[in-house]
Amino acid sequence: MSDKDADREIPLEDGEEAEPSESTESMPEPGKSAADSEEAVTDAVDASVRRAETVGSGDSAESPEKRKAASKKAVICAAVVIVLVVALGGANAAGLFHQHTWKEATCTTAKTCEECGATEGNPQGHDYEVTEKEATCTLPGKKVYTCKRCGDSYSEDNGEPAKGHTPGEWRVDTASMKSVQYCSTCGLPMASEELTRDALEQAMSTQDFTLDDIYKVDSGSGYKYIYKDQIGLDVTNHTDKIVRSADVLVCAYDGSGLPVSVDLSFYRGHDVVSLSLDDVNLAAGASWSSRSSNWGWDINGDSTDKMIQFRGCVSEVTFTDGTSWSNPYATAWMSLYSGKSL
């Protein structure tokens, strides 16, 4: 029998159904693993052998030539399957069945497929630029390295030591009742101490409206119940506005500096009273005095001998433009003077 005859379709016996071709039924699916592909090859070869045996044993009258042709056909089918499996496996490994969606490389990661995680190439690496950071009062100088692409940053000392604070002005902290010294360079607090009367008086002496003096004006009469002594004030307007009125807090003390009640014609028995300068209309930069204006606050005759010394604090000022100013130190002043000895 010729090879041509062997390639011809083998006639089927009555009732025998055509078997599916091994080349298609054993075809591995794209994307299968190597283990799956090897199993498919084995199955395909086994199927071809079984086919050959079936053909050979199904017809004992078949000539050796026919059996040989059937076996040859089975081997050819198995070879085709093997070739297809190898080709498909290689194509899958090469990524022919997957289109990568690439995410560009960064400073620290290579170009990466967002779907399968495959990488290509190398990370870009950081591209640092260097800036010098001058030393401050508390920190040494630094070299700062910053990546121009991703912003990653680190620093190292440049050899310049911290400069240290420069002593500046003292300010009153009413919340903590302390005097605080601030650095004139950076503005940070550098020292503190308990608030004293002297420190508070110094701070109030630089305010926009100041109480320059508070004193007792003697009437010069022996009849103090009729010709009463008075409390007098001297004040100065340091603003560029006209002062319409002002209120001044006052405490009184005896000759030994012990606190006594402020006993005035309109106030009796108080440790602190508020004296009002109504309609004073004090011009910008001008001063006002009870001595020159003949304006004071009458002391009751039976208390004038007790009230020898006075301390005061401007609490509020109203300007002719309708604005006002409240002294932030008034509460601290009250806590240091009210009911306390000098």
Side-chain angles (χ1 to χ4, degrees):
M1 181 181 294
S2 65
D3 292 343
K4 182 177 181 181
D5 293 333
D7 291 337
R8 288 183 302 176
E9 182 178 355
I10 300 174
L12 301 175
E13 297 293 334
D14 291 341
E16 182 180 1
E17 295 182 358
E19 295 183 7
S21 172
E22 293 87 342
S23 62
T24 57
E25 70 179 0
S26 302
M27 185 76 66
E29 297 180 7
K32 282 192 174 182
S33 65
D36 293 338
S37 299
E38 183 178 351
E39 183 179 352
V41 171
T42 302
D43 292 344
V45 173
D46 291 343
S48 298
V49 171
R50 287 195 302 272
R51 175 65 177 168
E53 291 175 350
T54 301
V55 173
S57 62
D59 187 1
S60 58
E62 286 281 350
S63 64
E65 289 80 3
K66 286 186 178 182
R67 290 196 295 273
K68 182 179 180 181
S71 298
K72 182 178 181 180
K73 181 177 180 181
V75 171
I76 292 173
C77 289
V80 170
V81 170
I82 293 172
V83 171
L84 288 175
V85 167
V86 171
L88 290 174
N92 185 58
L96 297 180
F97 300 113
H98 168 66
Q99 294 297 319
H100 291 301
T101 302
W102 293 111
K103 182 178 180 181
E104 292 302 319
T106 68
C107 295
T108 56
T109 60
K111 184 178 179 181
T112 305
C113 177
E114 295 180 339
E115 296 181 4
C116 71
T119 60
E120 182 178 284
N122 298 312
Q124 291 181 325
H126 293 297
D127 183 11
Y128 290 108
E129 61 180 357
V130 183
T131 56
E132 293 285 341
K133 189 173 182 181
E134 186 180 356
T136 66
C137 296
T138 57
L139 298 175
K142 297 283 186 181
K143 283 185 177 180
V144 181
Y145 299 83
T146 305
C147 179
K148 292 185 286 187
R149 278 193 291 266
C150 71
D152 179 72
S153 179
Y154 70 94
S155 64
E156 61 184 16
D157 290 348
N158 65 3
E160 182 185 8
K163 297 178 179 179
H165 290 301
T166 303
E169 65 177 343
W170 288 84
R171 303 177 200 165
V172 173
D173 183 358
T174 56
S176 64
M177 290 297 289
K178 291 183 179 293
S179 293
V180 182
Q181 187 179 36
Y182 292 85
C183 174
S184 61
T185 301
C186 68
L188 292 176
M190 54 178 294
S192 66
E193 59 186 30
E194 291 299 319
L195 181 62
T196 64
R197 288 173 175 173
D198 288 343
L200 183 60
E201 296 290 348
Q202 175 61 34
M204 293 194 300
S205 69
T206 63
Q207 292 182 312
D208 288 342
F209 192 90
T210 57
L211 175 64
D212 304 321
D213 197 6
I214 180 169
Y215 44 86
K216 185 176 182 179
V217 179
D218 195 324
S219 67
S221 172
Y223 301 98
K224 301 298 185 181
Y225 291 93
I226 300 174
Y227 303 102
K228 296 180 179 182
D229 295 338
Q230 293 183 323
I231 295 177
L233 305 175
D234 292 347
V235 296
T236 299
N237 176 16
H238 301 283
T239 72
D240 56 0
K241 301 178 181 181
I242 299 174
V243 173
R244 174 70 182 273
S245 62
D247 294 327
V248 179
L249 301 175
V250 176
C251 290
Y253 304 86
D254 63 16
S256 300
L258 298 176
V260 296
S261 296
V262 181
D263 192 7
L264 305 178
S265 297
F266 53 93
Y267 279 120
R268 295 188 68 90
H270 295 280
D271 287 340
V272 181
V273 298
S274 179
L275 306 182
S276 296
L277 280 168
D278 294 326
D279 297 326
V280 67
N281 291 326
L282 187 59
S287 297
W288 181 93
S289 175
S290 291
R291 294 185 179 95
S292 59
S293 64
N294 295 319
W295 183 359
W297 289 264
D298 292 342
I299 302 173
N300 287 321
D302 56 355
S303 298
T304 188
D305 291 338
K306 301 175 186 178
M307 298 168 59
I308 306 301
Q309 304 179 70
F310 303 91
R311 295 293 184 272
C313 166
V314 177
S315 61
E316 190 160 355
V317 175
T318 302
F319 300 96
T320 55
D321 64 1
T323 60
S324 62
W325 170 81
S326 295
N327 192 344
Y329 300 151
T331 301
W333 183 89
M334 289 272 290
S335 67
L336 289 176
Y337 284 97
S338 179
K340 295 181 175 65
S341 301
L342 292 178

